[in-house]
């Protein structure tokens, strides 16, 4: 399973990565723009994304 984690706080990304370490692949992004590209490249099965991030919000990224 591929999981994309998008959060501008590196500590939260680390917590999620530790919880999901059984997954085959965990991809991390720190902003919405990066998430759009990572989603297109990796085609994750699940995306965990913060809604309120600096720059492009999680909602705007999800719409793209």
């Amino acid at each position: 399973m591929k999981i994309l984690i998008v959060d501008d706080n590196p500590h939260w990304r680390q917590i999620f990565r530790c919880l999901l370490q059984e997954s085959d692949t965990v991809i991390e992004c720190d902003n919405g723009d990066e998430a759009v590209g990572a989603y297109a490249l990796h085609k994750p099965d699940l995306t965990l994304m913060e809604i309120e991030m600096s720059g492009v919000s999680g909602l705007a990224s999800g719409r793209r």
Side-chain angles (χ1 to χ4, degrees):
M1 177 178 262
K2 288 189 237 177
I3 300 173
L4 175 61
I5 300 169
V6 187
D7 196 308
D8 57 358
N9 184 322
H11 299 293
W12 280 112
R13 290 195 315 267
Q14 181 181 14
I15 290 167
F16 283 120
R17 185 176 56 245
C18 288
L19 292 171
L20 300 168
Q21 64 187 356
E22 298 295 320
S23 299
D24 294 336
T25 306
V26 175
I27 304 115
E28 294 182 43
C29 298
D30 65 0
N31 63 61
D33 282 328
E34 189 179 326
V36 172
Y39 187 88
L41 178 65
H42 297 286
K43 308 275 193 272
D45 300 301
L46 175 68
T47 300
L48 300 173
M49 186 167 4
E50 180 182 13
I51 293 174
E52 294 182 20
M53 291 184 285
S54 57
V56 179
S57 73
L59 292 176
S61 298
R63 287 185 197 113
R64 289 191 204 173

